[in-house]
Amino acid sequence: MKDIFDECKFSEFNIKSRIIRTGVWERQTEGGFLTSEVFDRYEDMAKSGVGLILSEIFAFDPKDRFYDYSANVNYRGFIKDYKQITDICHNYDVPILGQLAFFYYDDGDNQKAEPNDLTIEGIRKLQAEVIMVAKKFSFAGFDGIQINMGNNFYLSRFVNPYFNQRDDKYGGNTLNRLRIVLEIIQLIKKTIGFHVSCRINIEDVRKGGMTQEESRKIAKLLAEHGADSIQITGRTISMKYDAEEKHVFLDYADELSQEVDVPIILAGNLRDMKTMNEILNSSNVEFMSLSKPFVAQPDFLADWKENGDGTSICKGCNNCYSKKESRCFQYYEEKSD
């Protein structure tokens, strides 16, 4: 019987559980530097029994849509602060990946250049900037990078046939639309040599957009060209799926896990240990990602492991996401009492 707290291999990493933490926003700063609350949060997560940590979103362009709500790689204390963060994780033998996501892209001529607007020089500029972020991550002690090409972020639009109508080698068929990312992966592997994870949409519920069939082609190409792990997400859940349906990505992740040779990470409304263990033992899914439960209580896995069971205190209210906060006020208020 498989269990979420199995020690196992995740690509090149030996991890202490099958649970991946996914971060979103980072606004806990003071004078441009991280507050003690951030360091405490990472330590609470790292010592709780989590297998691997995906950082909050990092942005690199101050004009980007979510820059004010994201961590960023530009402030003068970045390497110092995040070397302390990665050291905390490594002290508990937990690998950590830096998550890069950007919504707009400034090609030098247009602050919001869309995929069809980019010249080849603009594509090279974008690729170079992503490589520079990966290098900064390596300097700060991260074990790899996650390229967020899911949800509505820029690279999700570049690989999507609904948005990408280019007629050069970066448009048209699946391989061409994905070429911009495949070249980035190959350069990171060649110049830095660390783990590259990609987050992709299962579909986007747009006519002429990303379908599950197309998404599986993308996942296979990513794995064939050097991606070390793939996390499943979606542009939206509410537009297609019943709100009562808890595991909307499970069938897709189950099938994809049989079709590629890299770890596939299932996400989406995972809240209790019993259900997660049932998924592990009734499907090909090996790894699961949680985000909001770690916001509600960063160290909840320690209780689950001790008790052999558990349900997250997260109510799924989505306030942390909509308010662009990496904290649950209820949890921190109770902890301070």
Side-chain angles (χ1 to χ4, degrees), residues 1-47:
M1 294 286 288
K2 292 184 286 187
D3 186 86
I4 63 171
F5 291 110
D6 289 339
E7 294 185 3
C8 54
K9 291 284 289 185
F10 180 90
S11 188
E12 73 268 38
F13 304 122
N14 295 311
I15 60 176
K16 297 186 294 185
S17 77
R18 300 179 185 275
I19 303 302
I20 314 297
R21 178 269 188 168
T22 297
V24 184
W25 311 117
E26 184 60 86
R27 297 179 68 181
Q28 277 68 62
T29 60
E30 189 174 277
F33 294 86
L34 299 182
T35 65
S36 60
E37 185 179 298
V38 179
F39 296 96
D40 291 343
R41 184 193 330 134
Y42 272 95
E43 182 160 22
D44 285 344
M45 291 188 296
K47 69 182 181 184

Side-chain angles (χ1 to χ4, degrees), residues 50-62:
V50 70
L52 181 143
I53 290 176
L54 294 169
S55 77
E56 275 81 18
I57 289 170
F58 280 93
F60 61 85
D61 183 351

Side-chain angles (χ1 to χ4, degrees), residues 18 20-21 28 40 45 72-73 78 94 122 131 142 217 230 256 260 279-281 300 305 316 319 321:
R18 300 179 185 275
I20 314 297
R21 178 269 188 168
Q28 277 68 62
D40 291 343
M45 291 188 296
N72 76 80
V73 298
F78 164 75
V94 176
I131 299 300
F142 286 95
K217 289 180 183 178
I230 296 171
L256 185 61
V260 298
I279 291 172
L280 283 175
N281 289 285
F300 74 93
K305 189 171 186 179
N319 280 342
Y321 186 86

Side-chain angles (χ1 to χ4, degrees), residues 252-263:
Y252 176 97
D254 185 20
E255 294 173 7
L256 185 61
S257 296
Q258 302 175 70
E259 297 172 353
V260 298
D261 293 327
V262 301

Side-chain angles (χ1 to χ4, degrees), residues 130-131 134 145 147 183-196:
V130 174
I131 299 300
I145 182 173
I147 301 172
E183 290 175 346
I184 288 170
I185 292 172
Q186 291 168 349
L187 281 167
I188 290 175
K189 304 300 285 188
K190 181 178 180 180
T191 60
I192 305 172
F194 65 1
H195 189 101
V196 179

